[in-house]
Amino acid sequence: MRAIPLLLAGLALSACTEGPASLLTTPAQLQERTPFTQVAPTQSWINAPGIVLVMQRGLRGESQQRVALANQTGVPGDNVVVMRAQSLSGRPGRFGYEDFMSRIGGAPAPFEAVTSGNLISAEDDVGPYFWTEQRFGDSTICVLGIRRITSSQRLLPGTATVLDIMLRNCVLGEAEEALGPLMSGSVSAPPVTGAVVGESRVISPLAAPAVR
């Protein structure tokens, strides 16, 4: 009877070991089977204001991170930043909106029907970004924003060469405030230990936006 717990523990351990069968799974299957785990806010890949929770997972050839943000509105859905870090050989290709959305489970509410053609282009110190908005009443605005950052612009997680970012943020205010977590002050450098979340800190010369 004493051997049963040890046997069960051994079976559980063997089930968690990556074998040849797991390597044959498709990217979609692997993504479905790989859960997110919670990490400290200081491990967030961006330095956004209002961070509540950070979740992360590693997949073949990429890592994903979800950063939950504070939400003071009654709009259904979560305020969140979803990021996908990839190691791509050669020069990064063009950002694919539909491919990115399919990899992260689709566009969040209330932007499920938004296509790439609905997005407005803009630019800040880091480079171009794309966004759209939806208003609720007189004081609530929701934004959907996306952008791509490369390793030539700042340090990226691990060996990643590109970092694709999506923001869904609803606030009591204006679009500029809602877009804050996507702007250069948030994405130009990740947080460092002891830093105030939302305060832009460049952790090395390589982390600063590239000068072109």
Side-chain angles (χ1 to χ4, degrees):
M1 293 294 293
R2 294 179 180 176
I4 292 177
L6 295 177
L7 176 60
L8 293 176
L11 291 174
L13 181 61
S14 64
C16 295
T17 303
E18 186 178 87
S22 66
L23 297 177
L24 296 177
T25 57
T26 66
Q29 290 172 330
L30 182 63
Q31 180 162 294
E32 184 178 341
R33 299 174 185 178
T34 306
F36 282 90
T37 58
Q38 184 175 347
V39 298
T42 52
Q43 292 183 262
S44 170
W45 297 340
I46 61 170
N47 188 27
I51 290 179
V52 175
L53 181 70
V54 181
M55 305 290 287
Q56 185 172 313
R57 67 178 173 184
L59 302 170
R60 282 201 301 265
E62 68 177 85
S63 297
Q64 296 179 2
Q65 192 174 90
R66 299 179 66 90
V67 177
L69 304 174
N71 189 351
Q72 304 299 323
T73 75
V75 180
D78 298 321
N79 286 346
V80 65
V81 179
V82 181
M83 292 171 281
R84 181 188 183 198
Q86 302 177 81
S87 299
L88 303 180
S89 59
R91 297 185 60 182
R94 295 184 60 184
F95 178 88
Y97 177 83
E98 286 75 15
D99 175 66
F100 176 63
M101 288 300 178
S102 68
R103 293 290 291 173
I104 65 172
F111 300 103
E112 296 95 335
V114 169
T115 67
S116 57
N118 302 132
L119 301 176
I120 304 167
S121 63
E123 190 167 344
D124 63 8
D125 293 340
V126 175
Y129 61 94
F130 305 86
W131 69 285
T132 188
E133 68 178 49
Q134 188 167 332
R135 292 186 176 272
F136 296 86
D138 296 330
S139 59
T140 300
I141 184 171
C142 295
V143 299
L144 174 73
I146 59 171
R147 74 184 311 160
R148 165 169 285 187
I149 295 176
T150 69
S151 54
S152 66
Q153 295 169 297
R154 54 155 275 193
L155 292 175
L156 297 181
T159 60
T161 58
V162 298
L163 179 65
D164 294 330
I165 306 173
M166 183 214 74
L167 166 71
R168 183 274 199 187
N169 200 20
C170 298
V171 302
L172 301 173
E174 297 301 324
E176 291 77 9
E177 179 184 353
L179 284 168
L182 192 70
M183 297 295 94
S184 58
S186 296
V187 304
S188 60
V192 294
T193 301
V196 176
V197 174
E199 177 184 355
S200 180
R201 302 262 186 113
V202 174
I203 59 177
S204 82
L206 293 178
V211 177
R212 298 185 182 278

